[in-house]
Amino acid sequence: MRGMICFILLFSSIVCIAQKTVIEKILTNPVIKIPVYEMTHHIIEQSFTVPCKYGSAAFVFPQNSFDPEKVQVIAADLVFTDHPSYDNLKKLNTDRFIQLFNKYPSLADKNIEWKLVRQMTGVTKATALNMFHGFVIYYRPLQNKETMQSDILKLKDMLVPKDGSPGKKRNGFIAVDTTELRKIYEIEPYTTVLKLPVNEAIHFLGMDESETVNYKKYDSVFVYAKPSEDTLEKISIKPPPDSTVLKVLDRMHWNRMLMVADVTASMYPYTGQLMLWMKLHEDERRIERFIFFNDGDNKDDDLKVIGRTGGIYTTASSVFEVAEQLAFKAMSNGSGGSIPENNIEALISGIAACPECSSVIMIADNYSGVSDMALLKQLHKPVRIILCGVLEKINIDYLNIARSTSGSIHLMETDLLNLADLKEGESITILGHSYSIVNGSFQLKK
């Protein structure tokens, strides 16, 4: 019994020392000074507040089901006021962190982005008393079957035309042979001609699936589509709530694309943007192959092997409905698992399936690391990374993938090019944070 008590005391002491180290490190962060704090939700984030009174470190923790170990905590802000202005409030804020970490030990995690926010409007005690003090914790749910099905419904809602209609059928027709076609039909020069498998041709023209029986003798058919009617459908599409993917694809003008897209953990807003962009540019056929990956389907983490994790779905179809349904399938078959994902396995699989693709594009989640960085040297084509969910810091894994492959990183308004040109010891500043090359890899400068 005495031995057990000693062990508990020793363990508690180690935890306290570790927490103290984390707190000291957080309190060295620059203090952000603003008039009044306002919560800034990212599109896939939720928040949880832990308030306290002015000048106090005593928290009344909300009586709800928030559990940091059952969600992915992304960032957290300690918010306080400027009174008294001469005091850096370090001792008070230290006590506040101690109380928070005693209640939620897992928040003492090095991967959480902590900010110290001083509200300058609270310059007097009278004004400070009525302002918010405490912690704001930003998080998102961990992926499971329930959340993934919810995300699929949200994605489908994004892709429904505003007026609720299923969209207009394309103006076109199917032909099984081109030999006598122009003798029978008057074909305008601007008509798009596609050779597609029968089921994809049916989907493309918005025909009833029962029409497939009329072409059961054929593996593929020719689709003659006039683009005029598509415009009506495009105008009615819902605008996305975030525009990272749309802006980058419109800005960069890549062709012959291999599109590798992460469809795990609340990535549906960005998958939706990809689908919307494809719908608007479908006739251009700039994407030659899609790869959707979900980090191993429903496989337990201890069964995942680097390079053979799986959960990778591919199609060479440039038909919107086919790519859309494959994305839904990849999402439906994925659930749970670790946050780091098999991005490089998906890239390797895509490049092998489409060696003729000249532009390798990856839509990636900034808040999910890469589980298979050990495979990085197997990538021999530049990888263009559309990095989603970036508020401040860039995930180091994606900087290193871009640099190793002579690729690039693309944010909503910024393109990070020529990263491979950075030499040992050199650095780059992105969104106010500095990253240096140390031993051949990027590291965040403190």
Side-chain angles (χ1 to χ4, degrees), residues 141-159:
L142 292 177
Q143 179 180 314
N144 55 43
K145 279 291 184 185
E146 182 179 348
T147 59
M148 185 54 75
Q149 290 304 315
S150 174
D151 286 351
I152 290 173
L153 292 176
K154 293 173 186 175
L155 174 55
K156 289 181 177 179
D157 184 62
M158 281 183 68
L159 300 175

Side-chain angles (χ1 to χ4, degrees), residues 344 347 362 373 376 379 381-387 394-410 416-421 442:
I344 297 181
L347 285 166
M362 178 168 66
M373 289 295 287
L376 182 56
L379 294 175
K381 281 190 172 184
V383 179
R384 315 298 180 186
I385 303 171
I386 301 177
L387 198 53
I394 303 288
N395 190 306
I396 294 294
D397 287 345
Y398 299 109
L399 285 170
N400 285 323
I401 291 173
R403 182 173 183 268
S404 176
T405 64
S406 297
S408 52
I409 288 181
H410 304 270
L416 306 175
L417 310 174
N418 304 319
L419 294 172
D421 293 342
F442 276 104

Side-chain angles (χ1 to χ4, degrees), residues 199-212:
N199 62 328
E200 294 185 17
I202 296 294
H203 279 297
F204 184 81
L205 291 176
M207 298 166 62
D208 191 281
E209 289 189 3
S210 62
E211 297 277 352
T212 305

Side-chain angles (χ1 to χ4, degrees), residues 160-165 167-168 231-239:
V160 171
K162 286 182 183 178
D163 58 8
S165 66
K168 299 183 182 299
T231 305
L232 297 175
E233 186 181 13
K234 293 169 186 174
I235 290 173
S236 68
I237 294 172
K238 282 185 177 180

